[in-house]
Amino acid sequence: MEKNQKDTRDYYTIDLLHIVKSLWKRAWLIAAAGVIAAVVGFCVSAFMIKPEYSSTIMLYVNNSSFSLGNTSFSISSSEITAAQSLVKTYGVILNNRTTLERVIEKAEVPYTYRELAGRITSSTANGTEIMRVTVTTRDPYEAAKIANCIAEVLPVRISEIIDGASMEVVDAAVPVLQKVSPSITRYTAIGLILGVLLSAAVLAVLAMLDDTIHDEEYILRTYDYPILAKVPDLLSSGDKKYGYYAQKHRGTKA
């Protein structure tokens, strides 16, 4: 009984060849969708998204001995790992609320400390004791102003927390008029790829849902039934002796 129930179940078969042929016939539509999406991506990045600019300062982390609470540290120029850890510590102090509020007050910019923290990144310069601080805003002059204020506030803030620590400015920030985002090339490429993939996916789904019999090959591939007869296409130019085509031309000659 269970065997008969399993045999009578309906199974849905995906005809990959049919899907590929359907996509190939509509390749022009996929290409057009990709081009349209690429144009949309270009327009969005070029005209709708406001550009952002970055400005960078470089600070030297003093490698002399210092103490933090009851613990003493000694950083030498050869201890690169220790220097990187020290720069990371300074980066945490930089993104602290108190430090950023001092920077905001000094630079006179309309940001909260959370907003400003999201616009500041810090890192080591090639694994050395040089700390690189980058500020990104929509105004290149504002970015340079904030970065230079950080160079004034951060050393004072660090000296208040860590005994004997100091920082020196290696390179001050200057306005850079070349935008860092958005990337028009990247947005255009993403639009092109998304347009092609989405249109191909939609057409593939439509091809899978299409249960129309288009030709005898589909019947032979899908069903185990013989073809007994075929209805000719009476509107085709190849069937000149039959049906509508012949009657139409006889009436024309008369």
Side-chain angles (χ1 to χ4, degrees):
M1 193 69 178
E2 293 180 357
K3 184 176 181 181
N4 294 333
Q5 289 179 354
K6 291 182 181 179
D7 293 340
T8 57
R9 290 177 183 176
D10 293 332
Y11 293 93
Y12 185 77
T13 304
I14 298 177
D15 191 347
L16 295 179
L17 183 60
H18 173 63
I19 295 175
V20 172
K21 287 184 177 180
S22 299
L23 294 179
W24 178 252
K25 290 179 181 178
R26 296 169 177 82
W28 64 272
L29 186 58
I30 297 175
V35 172
I36 293 173
V39 172
V40 171
F42 173 84
C43 294
V44 168
S45 60
F47 306 109
M48 298 181 65
I49 300 178
K50 292 183 179 180
E52 292 189 335
Y53 305 86
S54 292
S55 188
T56 302
I57 57 169
M58 300 184 72
L59 303 168
Y60 172 72
V61 178
N62 196 341
N63 63 349
S64 60
S65 300
F66 64 91
S67 61
L68 179 60
N70 296 325
T71 307
S72 298
F73 299 90
S74 178
I75 305 298
S76 63
S77 59
S78 62
E79 295 172 332
I80 302 300
T81 303
Q84 292 176 349
S85 300
L86 188 59
V87 171
K88 291 179 180 179
T89 301
Y90 287 1
V92 173
I93 296 174
L94 169 60
N95 286 279
N96 181 267
R97 177 181 59 82
T98 303
T99 306
L100 293 179
E101 286 181 348
R102 292 184 184 181
V103 173
I104 292 170
E105 182 180 358
K106 190 173 188 62
E108 299 179 347
V109 290
Y111 297 111
T112 64
Y113 81 93
R114 293 183 184 275
E115 292 173 342
L116 186 58
R119 295 184 175 275
I120 297 174
T121 58
S122 60
S123 61
T124 60
N126 299 324
T128 63
E129 294 173 290
I130 302 297
M131 181 178 182
R132 180 188 289 112
V133 179
T134 302
V135 180
T136 303
T137 67
R138 292 174 179 174
D139 184 347
Y141 297 95
E142 181 185 71
K145 182 180 180 181
I146 294 173
N148 287 323
C149 288
I150 290 174
E152 297 179 19
V153 172
L154 184 58
V156 177
R157 177 68 174 153
I158 288 174
S159 64
E160 295 174 354
I161 300 174
I162 305 175
D163 295 335
S166 63
M167 300 182 74
E168 300 293 337
V169 178
V170 176
D171 195 8
V174 295
V176 180
L177 302 181
Q178 183 177 1
K179 67 178 182 179
V180 294
S181 68
S183 173
I184 295 178
T185 302
R186 186 177 65 180
Y187 271 75
T188 304
I190 291 175
L192 176 63
I193 295 172
L194 288 179
V196 170
L197 292 179
L198 290 178
S199 60
V202 171
L203 292 175
V205 171
L206 293 177
M208 287 189 292
L209 297 177
D210 184 14
D211 56 358
T212 305
I213 298 176
H214 296 279
D215 51 29
E216 63 272 18
E217 293 182 3
Y218 175 80
I219 300 177
L220 292 174
R221 268 195 329 268
T222 309
Y223 306 101
D224 190 17
Y225 300 140
I227 298 177
L228 302 179
K230 178 181 177 182
V231 178
D233 186 359
L234 301 180
L235 299 180
S236 174
S237 59
D239 300 321
K240 296 183 178 181
K241 297 181 180 179
Y242 304 101
Y244 176 78
Y245 184 92
Q247 292 179 6
K248 179 180 177 182
H249 284 267
R250 289 196 198 99
T252 304
K253 293 179 179 178

